Amino acid sequence: PGTPDIPPGLEVAHRYAPAGDSVIGGDWHDIITLPGGQAALIVGDAMGHGPEAAAVMVQLRTAAHTLADLDQARERVLARLDRMASGLTAPFATCIYTVIEPETSSCVTAQAGHLPPVVVLPSGETQVLELPPGLPLGLGAETFESTRISLPPGATLALYTDGLVESRAQSLDDGLEALQEALRTALADPAVALDVACETVTKAMRQHGEDDITLVLARIRQ
């Protein structure tokens, strides 16, 4: 996305790194300002590489942005994307859709086969959130479940794609451990800008990657 109009009370930083200089991938992310001082964060991944994956990604991202801008419910957005993806050429895509509400220090999240968010609390403790995973887009899931999560002031929410944490040389469990450690280190000093922390984490995890990398960090101001 370009430079989004972030609501007061919220900080957002994002990074995308392609798998290679000449490799087109299927990762996407978006940030949409909603009424009432809320913000929608969307991260998705159309499986595969090349023009086909990129074409699917563009269609899904455009549709997701339009539906989010209409302030549709999270589960309804994913259901619409699921129906759309079933008619596209990619095998499937994953997606996570989160609406952050700074006023209530919380967010509401729904997933479509995507990896779970990680929360970094002001104390430095990290948590991999256990949410209903849902099925990937394009498999006819029909329904998706939203979950409300408490985000105390100063807490940071991390959304990402699988390229950040998984590779042939690193298992998913090891990758999630590495991500939590990288987040703890980058966010240890609350005075460090979120944009700097996002860049630090992306570089730290990039050395293990063979796929597109997308990372979005969101923090409710203290």
Side-chain angles (χ1 to χ4, degrees):
T3 303
D5 183 18
I6 304 299
L10 185 66
E11 299 173 76
V12 179
H14 51 96
R15 288 291 184 277
Y16 168 76
D21 293 338
S22 59
V23 179
I24 302 172
D27 281 12
W28 89 86
H29 62 290
D30 211 345
I31 303 162
I32 303 106
T33 300
L34 301 177
Q38 302 178 92
L41 310 180
I42 307 173
V43 173
D45 185 3
M47 296 296 102
H49 295 95
E52 184 179 273
V56 170
M57 174 271 290
V58 169
Q59 294 176 75
L60 291 175
R61 180 185 183 276
T62 301
H65 186 106
T66 301
L67 292 168
D69 200 39
L70 293 172
D71 203 16
Q72 296 282 308
R74 278 71 47 186
E75 58 273 15
R76 183 174 298 178
V77 170
L78 292 182
R80 294 286 297 273
L81 293 178
D82 180 52
R83 291 197 293 272
M84 178 180 176
S86 65
L88 300 177
T89 54
F92 59 86
T94 68
C95 186
I96 183 166
Y97 181 17
T98 297
V99 173
I100 297 186
E101 305 170 356
E103 187 174 337
T104 62
S105 293
S106 66
C107 69
V108 181
T109 299
Q111 296 184 139
H114 206 80
L115 291 173
V118 175
V119 171
V120 185
L121 298 175
S123 64
E125 178 187 357
T126 58
Q127 300 175 355
V128 179
L129 300 179
E130 295 185 6
L131 306 176
L135 289 175
L137 302 175
L139 298 183
E142 296 185 0
T143 59
F144 297 88
E145 186 176 345
S146 292
T147 303
R148 181 171 291 275
I149 304 156
S150 175
L151 286 178
T156 301
L157 182 73
L159 308 178
Y160 53 94
T161 53
D162 60 355
L164 190 70
V165 294
E166 195 171 19
S167 70
R168 286 175 292 183
Q170 178 175 253
S171 70
L172 176 58
D173 287 343
D174 288 344
L176 287 173
E177 286 291 339
L179 175 59
Q180 291 179 82
E181 179 59 32
L183 287 167
R184 282 192 293 267
T185 300
L187 296 167
D189 182 357
V192 172
L194 195 63
D195 193 63
V196 172
C198 191
E199 179 70 16
T200 299
V201 173
T202 302
K203 286 183 176 178
M205 300 299 294
R206 179 65 174 165
Q207 60 185 325
H208 303 296
E210 328 172 312
D211 196 0
D212 295 34
I213 285 178
T214 297
L215 175 64
V216 177
L217 300 181
R219 178 165 62 193
I220 294 180
R221 297 182 189 275
Q222 290 183 302

